[in-house]
Structure formats: structure tokens, C-alpha cells
Amino acid sequence: MAPPSETQIWSATGLEVHQVVVGPMDNNVYVVRCTETGDAVLLDAANEHERLLDLCRALGVRRVLETHGHWDHIQAVPALRDAGYDVAVTEADAGMLPSYDSTIDDEDVIEVGRLRLHALHTPGHTPGSVCFTVEGTPLLFSGDTLFPGGPGNTSFEGGDFVTIMRSLTDRLFTLPDETVVLPGHGDATTIGTERPHLDEWAERGW
């Protein structure tokens, strides 16, 4: 397990963000940590559960938030629940998980120490896909709703291209240009970089 200093990708007053890449689909797993209290949450218990458990113990994780229920984002859920971590997911995607503890609703405010995460329901990749912003920061954790170069895949069961485009237009692209997008796979981008391409995505249909 790499020391926390090697997994940290963002820091600001009162906040750290850590990232590891796990599993055969190279899933990004993030930990959002309040440095004032030591409390933290893990976003997407994707895979490599032993590695994630080490990360949780090192960083004070109290809870797991799932951005959606696709298999590659939930492989470590049973092991983390067995270790005592509360796993939360939207009700619409809850049936995709082997087990869970609580649900996330649109516009929920999730307290992580003195930090506040805001849940944005962004259906389209799955019916219950959810993104998270961190109050007072430019950060957006977009799950598989938005990537550099376009929206997430909508060809899987429960996916819908028109719906995901509406989620981008109405929920994510209303955020400021400088918003930093941290997706479920691959590299970070910004809202300002991606928003101008919305029409070309609509024209290509994916």
C-alpha cells in the first residue's frame, strides 16, 4: 500500500483528495478527507478490496458512496461492508449491488467532518447515477456520467443517451467553467473544456 502522501491528488484548506486506480477496468477510486476532523468518505468501492481497506484505515474513511451500480464499481462492496463500512447508493441503482446500507437522494448534503458533499442525480449511464460536488471547492466527482471527450456509455441495460445528455445540460454544465471533473475512469478535465462540445456529442449520438 502506497503511503497517503503518494495517493493525494488535491489539497486545500481543510480538504484532501486521494486517488487510486484499481481493477481490470482501471477504475478511479477517490477518498475525500476532512483534515480538520480526520473523517473521510470513499467514492466507489470498485475492486482490489484489500488495497481499499488499507486506504480506508489509513485515511479515516467512515462511509462508502457509490456513484452507480455497474459491476466494475462495486466489486469491493461486500468486503468493505463486512469490515463495518456503511455503503450508500441511490435507490434506483440499489438493486445492482449485492448489498448496501443506506440510500442517496438527489440534492442530499453529506457531512464528512466539516466538509459538505452535495449529491446530483444524473441519470443516463444508469438510472441512478449520481455525481458529487464538494462545497466551497471546484471539485466534481462525475462517476461515469462525464469524461474527457463526452458522456458515459449508454449502450448498457438501463442506459439512455437522451437522458444522459439532459443530465449534462441541466445538472453538470450549469457548474462554473473552472469546475474540475474527476471521472470514474481516466484523466481529469474541466467543465469549461467539455461544455463547448455538447452539440457535437448530440450529433454523433454517443
Coordinates of all heavy atoms in Angstrom, one line a residue, residues 24-79:
P24 N -9.5 -4.4 -13.4 CA -9.2 -4.6 -14.9 C -9.7 -3.5 -15.7 O -9.3 -3.3 -16.9 CB -9.9 -5.9 -15.2 CG -11.0 -6.1 -14.2 CD -10.4 -5.5 -12.9
M25 N -10.7 -2.7 -15.2 CA -11.2 -1.6 -16.0 C -10.5 -0.2 -15.6 O -11.0 0.8 -16.0 CB -12.7 -1.5 -15.8 CG -13.5 -2.7 -16.1 SD -13.4 -3.1 -17.9 CE -14.4 -1.8 -18.6
D26 N -9.5 -0.3 -14.8 CA -8.8 0.9 -14.4 C -9.7 1.9 -13.7 O -9.8 3.1 -14.2 CB -8.0 1.5 -15.5 CG -6.8 0.7 -15.9 OD1 -6.3 -0.1 -15.1 OD2 -6.4 0.7 -17.1
N27 N -10.5 1.5 -12.8 CA -11.4 2.4 -12.1 C -10.7 3.4 -11.2 O -9.8 3.0 -10.4 CB -12.4 1.6 -11.2 CG -13.4 0.8 -12.1 OD1 -13.1 -0.1 -12.7 ND2 -14.6 1.3 -12.0
N28 N -11.1 4.6 -11.2 CA -10.6 5.6 -10.2 C -11.4 5.5 -9.0 O -12.7 5.5 -9.0 CB -10.8 7.0 -10.8 CG -9.9 7.3 -12.0 OD1 -8.8 6.8 -12.0 ND2 -10.3 8.1 -12.9
V29 N -10.8 5.3 -7.9 CA -11.4 5.3 -6.5 C -10.9 6.5 -5.8 O -9.6 6.8 -5.8 CB -11.1 4.0 -5.8 CG1 -11.7 4.1 -4.3 CG2 -11.6 2.8 -6.5
Y30 N -11.7 7.3 -5.3 CA -11.3 8.6 -4.6 C -11.7 8.5 -3.1 O -12.7 7.9 -2.7 CB -12.0 9.8 -5.2 CG -11.8 10.0 -6.7 CD1 -12.8 9.6 -7.6 CD2 -10.7 10.6 -7.1 CE1 -12.6 9.7 -9.0 CE2 -10.4 10.8 -8.5 CZ -11.4 10.3 -9.4 OH -11.2 10.5 -10.7
V31 N -10.9 9.2 -2.3 CA -11.2 9.4 -0.9 C -11.2 10.9 -0.7 O -10.2 11.6 -1.0 CB -10.2 8.7 0.1 CG1 -10.4 9.2 1.5 CG2 -10.2 7.2 0.0
V32 N -12.3 11.4 -0.1 CA -12.4 12.8 0.2 C -12.3 12.9 1.7 O -13.1 12.3 2.5 CB -13.8 13.4 -0.3 CG1 -13.9 14.9 0.1 CG2 -13.9 13.2 -1.8
R33 N -11.3 13.7 2.2 CA -11.0 13.7 3.6 C -11.0 15.1 4.2 O -10.4 16.0 3.6 CB -9.6 13.0 3.9 CG -9.2 13.0 5.3 CD -7.9 12.2 5.4 NE -7.5 12.1 6.8 CZ -6.6 12.9 7.4 NH1 -6.1 13.9 6.7 NH2 -6.3 12.8 8.7
C34 N -11.7 15.2 5.3 CA -11.6 16.5 6.1 C -10.4 16.5 7.0 O -10.3 15.6 7.9 CB -12.9 16.6 6.9 SG -12.9 18.0 8.1
T35 N -9.5 17.4 6.7 CA -8.2 17.4 7.5 C -8.4 17.9 8.9 O -7.6 17.7 9.8 CB -7.1 18.1 6.8 OG1 -7.6 19.5 6.5 CG2 -6.8 17.5 5.4
E36 N -9.5 18.6 9.1 CA -9.7 19.2 10.5 C -10.2 18.2 11.4 O -9.9 18.3 12.6 CB -10.7 20.4 10.4 CG -10.2 21.6 9.6 CD -11.1 22.8 9.6 OE1 -11.9 22.9 10.5 OE2 -11.0 23.6 8.7
T37 N -11.0 17.2 11.0 CA -11.5 16.2 11.9 C -11.0 14.8 11.6 O -11.1 13.9 12.5 CB -13.1 16.1 11.7 OG1 -13.4 15.6 10.4 CG2 -13.7 17.4 11.9
G38 N -10.4 14.6 10.4 CA -9.9 13.3 10.1 C -10.9 12.3 9.5 O -10.6 11.2 9.1
D39 N -12.2 12.8 9.4 CA -13.2 12.0 8.8 C -13.1 12.0 7.2 O -12.6 12.9 6.6 CB -14.6 12.5 9.1 CG -14.9 12.3 10.6 OD1 -14.2 11.5 11.2 OD2 -15.9 12.9 11.1
A40 N -13.5 10.8 6.6 CA -13.4 10.7 5.2 C -14.4 9.8 4.6 O -15.0 9.0 5.3 CB -12.0 10.2 4.8
V41 N -14.7 9.9 3.3 CA -15.5 9.0 2.6 C -14.8 8.5 1.4 O -13.9 9.2 0.8 CB -16.9 9.6 2.1 CG1 -17.8 10.0 3.2 CG2 -16.6 10.9 1.2
L42 N -15.1 7.3 1.0 CA -14.5 6.6 -0.2 C -15.6 6.6 -1.3 O -16.8 6.2 -1.0 CB -14.0 5.2 0.1 CG -13.4 4.5 -1.0 CD1 -12.2 3.7 -0.5 CD2 -14.3 3.5 -1.7
L43 N -15.3 7.0 -2.5 CA -16.2 7.0 -3.6 C -15.9 5.9 -4.5 O -14.8 5.8 -5.1 CB -16.1 8.4 -4.4 CG -16.3 9.6 -3.6 CD1 -16.2 10.9 -4.6 CD2 -17.6 9.7 -2.9
D44 N -16.8 4.9 -4.6 CA -16.8 3.7 -5.4 C -15.8 2.7 -4.9 O -14.6 2.7 -5.2 CB -16.5 4.1 -6.9 CG -17.7 4.7 -7.6 OD1 -18.8 4.6 -7.0 OD2 -17.5 5.2 -8.7
A45 N -16.4 1.7 -4.3 CA -15.6 0.5 -3.8 C -15.5 -0.4 -5.0 O -16.2 -1.5 -5.1 CB -16.3 -0.2 -2.6
A46 N -14.6 -0.1 -5.9 CA -14.6 -0.8 -7.2 C -14.0 -2.1 -7.2 O -14.6 -3.1 -7.8 CB -13.8 0.1 -8.2
N47 N -12.8 -2.3 -6.7 CA -12.1 -3.6 -6.8 C -10.9 -3.6 -5.9 O -10.7 -2.6 -5.2 CB -11.6 -3.8 -8.3 CG -11.6 -5.2 -8.7 OD1 -11.1 -6.1 -7.9 ND2 -12.1 -5.5 -9.9
E48 N -10.1 -4.7 -5.8 CA -8.9 -4.7 -5.0 C -9.2 -4.4 -3.6 O -8.7 -3.4 -3.0 CB -7.8 -3.9 -5.6 CG -7.4 -4.3 -7.0 CD -6.2 -3.5 -7.6 OE1 -5.3 -3.1 -6.8 OE2 -6.2 -3.2 -8.8
H49 N -10.1 -5.1 -3.0 CA -10.7 -4.8 -1.7 C -9.6 -4.6 -0.6 O -9.7 -3.8 0.3 CB -11.8 -5.7 -1.2 CG -11.3 -7.1 -1.0 ND1 -11.2 -8.1 -2.0 CD2 -10.9 -7.7 0.2 CE1 -10.8 -9.2 -1.5 NE2 -10.5 -9.0 -0.2
E50 N -8.6 -5.4 -0.6 CA -7.6 -5.3 0.4 C -6.8 -4.0 0.3 O -6.5 -3.4 1.4 CB -6.6 -6.5 0.3 CG -7.2 -7.8 0.7 CD -6.2 -9.0 0.6 OE1 -5.0 -8.7 0.3 OE2 -6.6 -10.1 1.0
R51 N -6.6 -3.6 -0.9 CA -5.9 -2.3 -1.1 C -6.8 -1.1 -0.6 O -6.4 -0.2 0.1 CB -5.6 -2.1 -2.6 CG -4.8 -0.9 -2.9 CD -4.5 -0.9 -4.4 NE -3.8 0.3 -4.8 CZ -3.6 0.7 -6.1 NH1 -4.2 0.0 -7.0 NH2 -3.0 1.8 -6.4
L52 N -8.1 -1.3 -0.9 CA -9.1 -0.2 -0.5 C -9.2 -0.2 1.0 O -9.4 0.9 1.7 CB -10.4 -0.4 -1.2 CG -10.4 -0.2 -2.7 CD1 -11.8 -0.2 -3.2 CD2 -9.6 1.0 -3.2
L53 N -9.3 -1.4 1.7 CA -9.4 -1.4 3.1 C -8.1 -0.8 3.8 O -8.3 0.0 4.8 CB -9.5 -2.9 3.6 CG -10.9 -3.5 3.4 CD1 -10.9 -5.0 3.6 CD2 -11.9 -2.8 4.3
D54 N -7.0 -1.0 3.2 CA -5.8 -0.3 3.7 C -5.9 1.2 3.6 O -5.6 1.9 4.5 CB -4.5 -0.8 3.0 CG -4.1 -2.2 3.4 OD1 -4.5 -2.7 4.4 OD2 -3.3 -2.8 2.6
L55 N -6.4 1.6 2.5 CA -6.6 3.1 2.2 C -7.6 3.6 3.2 O -7.4 4.7 3.8 CB -7.1 3.3 0.8 CG -7.1 4.7 0.3 CD1 -5.6 5.2 0.1 CD2 -7.8 4.8 -1.1
C56 N -8.7 2.9 3.4 CA -9.7 3.4 4.4 C -9.2 3.5 5.8 O -9.5 4.5 6.5 CB -10.9 2.4 4.4 SG -12.0 2.4 2.9
R57 N -8.4 2.5 6.2 CA -7.8 2.6 7.6 C -6.8 3.7 7.7 O -6.8 4.4 8.7 CB -7.2 1.3 7.9 CG -8.2 0.1 8.0 CD -7.5 -1.2 8.2 NE -8.5 -2.3 8.1 CZ -8.3 -3.4 7.3 NH1 -7.3 -3.5 6.5 NH2 -9.3 -4.4 7.3
A58 N -6.1 4.0 6.7 CA -5.0 5.0 6.7 C -5.6 6.4 6.7 O -5.0 7.3 7.3 CB -4.1 4.8 5.5
L59 N -6.8 6.6 6.1 CA -7.3 7.9 5.9 C -8.6 8.2 6.7 O -9.1 9.3 6.5 CB -7.6 8.1 4.4 CG -6.4 8.1 3.5 CD1 -6.8 8.2 2.0 CD2 -5.4 9.2 3.8
G60 N -9.0 7.3 7.5 CA -10.1 7.6 8.4 C -11.5 7.5 7.7 O -12.4 8.2 8.1
V61 N -11.6 6.7 6.7 CA -12.9 6.6 6.0 C -14.0 6.0 6.9 O -13.7 5.1 7.7 CB -12.7 5.6 4.7 CG1 -14.1 5.3 4.2 CG2 -11.9 6.3 3.7
R62 N -15.1 6.7 6.9 CA -16.3 6.2 7.7 C -17.4 5.6 6.8 O -18.2 4.9 7.3 CB -16.8 7.4 8.4 CG -15.8 8.1 9.3 CD -15.6 7.4 10.6 NE -14.8 8.2 11.5 CZ -13.5 8.0 11.7 NH1 -12.9 7.1 10.9 NH2 -12.8 8.7 12.5
R63 N -17.4 6.0 5.5 CA -18.6 5.6 4.7 C -18.1 5.5 3.2 O -17.2 6.1 2.8 CB -19.6 6.7 4.8 CG -21.0 6.3 4.3 CD -22.0 7.5 4.5 NE -23.3 7.1 4.2 CZ -24.3 7.9 3.9 NH1 -24.1 9.2 3.9 NH2 -25.5 7.5 3.6
V64 N -18.9 4.7 2.5 CA -18.6 4.5 1.1 C -19.8 5.0 0.3 O -21.0 4.7 0.6 CB -18.4 3.0 0.7 CG1 -18.3 2.8 -0.8 CG2 -17.2 2.4 1.4
L65 N -19.6 5.8 -0.7 CA -20.6 6.4 -1.6 C -20.4 5.8 -3.0 O -19.3 6.0 -3.5 CB -20.6 7.9 -1.6 CG -20.6 8.6 -0.3 CD1 -20.5 10.1 -0.5 CD2 -21.9 8.3 0.5
E66 N -21.4 5.2 -3.5 CA -21.3 4.6 -4.9 C -21.9 5.6 -5.9 O -23.1 6.0 -5.7 CB -22.1 3.3 -5.0 CG -21.4 2.2 -4.2 CD -20.1 1.7 -4.9 OE1 -20.0 1.7 -6.1 OE2 -19.1 1.4 -4.1
T67 N -21.2 5.9 -7.0 CA -21.7 6.8 -8.0 C -22.8 6.1 -8.9 O -23.6 6.8 -9.4 CB -20.6 7.3 -8.9 OG1 -20.0 6.2 -9.6 CG2 -19.6 8.1 -8.1
H68 N -22.7 4.8 -9.0 CA -23.7 4.0 -9.7 C -23.4 2.5 -9.4 O -22.5 2.2 -8.8 CB -23.7 4.3 -11.2 CG -22.5 4.0 -11.9 ND1 -21.3 4.7 -11.8 CD2 -22.2 3.0 -12.9 CE1 -20.4 4.1 -12.6 NE2 -20.9 3.1 -13.3
G69 N -24.3 1.7 -10.0 CA -24.2 0.3 -9.6 C -23.6 -0.7 -10.6 O -23.7 -1.9 -10.4
H70 N -22.9 -0.2 -11.6 CA -22.3 -1.1 -12.6 C -21.2 -2.0 -11.9 O -20.5 -1.5 -10.9 CB -21.6 -0.4 -13.7 CG -22.6 0.0 -14.8 ND1 -22.4 1.0 -15.7 CD2 -23.8 -0.6 -15.1 CE1 -23.4 1.0 -16.6 NE2 -24.3 0.1 -16.2
W71 N -21.0 -3.2 -12.4 CA -20.2 -4.2 -11.7 C -18.8 -3.8 -11.4 O -18.3 -4.1 -10.4 CB -20.2 -5.5 -12.6 CG -19.4 -5.3 -13.9 CD1 -19.9 -4.9 -15.1 CD2 -18.0 -5.6 -14.0 NE1 -18.9 -4.9 -16.0 CE2 -17.7 -5.3 -15.4 CE3 -17.0 -6.0 -13.2 CZ2 -16.4 -5.4 -15.9 CZ3 -15.7 -6.2 -13.7 CH2 -15.4 -5.9 -15.1
D72 N -18.2 -3.0 -12.3 CA -16.8 -2.6 -12.1 C -16.6 -1.6 -11.0 O -15.5 -1.4 -10.6 CB -16.2 -2.1 -13.5 CG -16.9 -0.9 -14.1 OD1 -18.2 -1.0 -14.2 OD2 -16.2 0.0 -14.4
H73 N -17.7 -1.0 -10.6 CA -17.6 0.0 -9.5 C -18.0 -0.6 -8.1 O -17.9 0.2 -7.1 CB -18.5 1.2 -9.8 CG -18.0 2.0 -11.0 ND1 -17.4 3.2 -10.8 CD2 -18.1 1.8 -12.3 CE1 -17.1 3.7 -12.0 NE2 -17.5 2.8 -12.9
I74 N -18.4 -1.9 -8.1 CA -18.9 -2.4 -6.8 C -18.3 -3.7 -6.3 O -18.8 -4.3 -5.4 CB -20.4 -2.6 -6.9 CG1 -20.7 -3.7 -8.0 CG2 -21.1 -1.3 -7.3 CD1 -22.2 -4.1 -8.0
Q75 N -17.2 -4.1 -7.0 CA -16.6 -5.4 -6.6 C -16.2 -5.5 -5.2 O -16.2 -6.6 -4.6 CB -15.5 -5.8 -7.6 CG -15.9 -6.0 -9.0 CD -16.8 -7.2 -9.2 OE1 -16.4 -8.3 -8.9 NE2 -18.0 -6.9 -9.6
A76 N -15.7 -4.4 -4.6 CA -15.2 -4.4 -3.2 C -16.3 -4.1 -2.2 O -16.0 -4.1 -1.0 CB -14.1 -3.4 -3.1
V77 N -17.5 -3.9 -2.6 CA -18.6 -3.6 -1.7 C -18.8 -4.6 -0.6 O -18.8 -4.3 0.6 CB -19.9 -3.3 -2.4 CG1 -21.1 -3.3 -1.4 CG2 -19.9 -1.9 -3.1
P78 N -18.9 -5.9 -0.9 CA -19.1 -6.9 0.2 C -18.0 -6.9 1.3 O -18.3 -6.9 2.5 CB -19.2 -8.2 -0.5 CG -19.7 -7.9 -1.9 CD -19.0 -6.6 -2.2
A79 N -16.7 -6.8 0.8 CA -15.6 -6.8 1.8 C -15.6 -5.5 2.6 O -15.3 -5.6 3.8 CB -14.3 -6.9 1.0

